[in-house]
Amino acid sequence: MRTILLGILLLRFVFVFGQTASNPHEMMVSYKYKQIKKWPEPTYIVNNKFIVKNIGWINPSDIVGIKVSNKKDTTILGVKPPYMLITLKDSIPLKMISLEGIKKKYIKSISPYCIYQINGSISTLNAEECLINENSILSISVDKIKSKDSTTGKGIEIEVLEILTDTKENVRKSKEIIIR
C-alpha cells in the first residue's frame, strides 16, 4: 500500500514540476508577404491612360467616377480584369512619374538603398513601376538610416523618401503653424 501511495505521489510531482513554464515575453511574428492572396489585386487605370499600382496619391475630392470590372472577356490598355477605372476631373493635369524617377530628378543621392513612403504608408511596389502624379506632390523629405549589410558587414545608408501629396489633410497640416 505504501509503494502504491508513494508511486502516485511521485507521478503527481513529476507532472507538476516536470512542466516547463512558458515565457511570458514570447513574441508572435507574422510574415505578410507569405500570406496567400484569396483574390487577385486589381489594376488601377487612371483616365484611361495610365496604369498605376498605387492610388494613395489620388485626392478623393478629385475623383469623378470609379468603375470596377471583372468581366473576363474585356481588356483595357492590354490589362486583363480585375481592374478599376478611375476618372479624375478634367482640371487635374496628370504628369506621371515613377518613384525611381522622383529619386533621380529631385534627390541628390548616391545610396542604392531606398524606402519610399507615400502619405504615411510604405510602398512595397517596384520603384520603376509605381507611378504617381508629379503635379500632386506637395513635399518630399529625405531621411537616412545607417545599417550594416548582413552579408558583407559593410556600413550602408538607407534613404527614406517621404512623399506627401496634396490631399486635404496634408494641405491643412502644411499650413499649420507650430509655436513652441
Side-chain angles (χ1 to χ4, degrees):
M1 183 76 156
R2 283 175 142 176
T3 57
I4 293 174
L5 184 61
L6 188 61
I8 292 172
L9 285 174
L10 184 62
L11 282 174
R12 223 157 169 201
F13 281 117
V14 167
F15 286 123
V16 171
F17 294 111
Q19 295 178 2
T20 58
S22 64
N23 185 355
H25 299 291
E26 287 182 10
M27 187 180 309
M28 187 176 122
V29 177
S30 63
Y31 295 93
K32 291 184 178 182
Y33 60 88
K34 290 280 186 180
Q35 292 178 353
I36 298 171
K37 294 181 181 177
K38 295 180 182 173
W39 52 84
E41 271 301 305
T43 303
Y44 304 104
I45 301 173
V46 179
N47 286 359
N48 288 329
K49 295 180 187 172
F50 302 103
I51 298 170
V52 297
K53 305 278 185 183
N54 182 353
I55 59 171
W57 56 269
I58 297 177
N59 191 348
S61 63
D62 294 338
I63 297 175
V64 173
I66 296 176
K67 181 180 175 187
V68 180
S69 179
N70 200 15
K71 295 179 183 175
K72 304 274 187 224
D73 58 343
T74 60
T75 60
I76 294 180
L77 297 176
V79 177
K80 294 181 180 179
Y83 50 76
M84 284 180 117
L85 294 167
I86 300 171
T87 307
L88 301 178
K89 294 177 182 175
D90 291 334
S91 61
I92 306 299
L94 292 179
K95 186 177 176 187
M96 304 306 278
I97 187 169
S98 69
L99 295 177
E100 189 66 31
I102 290 173
K103 182 179 176 185
K104 288 178 183 175
K105 187 173 182 179
Y106 295 107
I107 309 301
K108 298 174 185 170
S109 170
I110 57 170
S111 176
Y113 308 103
C114 190
I115 298 173
Y116 298 95
Q117 186 177 4
I118 303 171
N119 292 335
S121 64
I122 295 175
S123 174
T124 58
L125 301 169
N126 187 348
E128 288 99 20
E129 294 177 359
C130 184
L131 299 176
I132 68 172
N133 186 7
E134 188 174 7
N135 294 330
S136 71
I137 296 175
L138 185 64
S139 68
I140 301 173
S141 63
V142 182
D143 198 3
K144 291 189 179 188
I145 301 171
K146 294 187 184 242
S147 184
K148 285 191 176 183
D149 190 336
S150 60
T151 56
T152 62
K154 293 169 97 178
I156 60 171
E157 284 188 346
I158 303 169
E159 291 180 334
V160 180
L161 268 65
E162 184 178 356
I163 301 169
L164 294 178
T165 61
D166 59 357
T167 61
K168 284 182 182 179
E169 183 179 335
N170 290 341
V171 170
R172 181 184 54 80
K173 285 181 181 178
S174 70
K175 292 181 181 178
E176 288 179 355
I177 299 173
I178 299 174
I179 300 173
R180 293 184 186 198

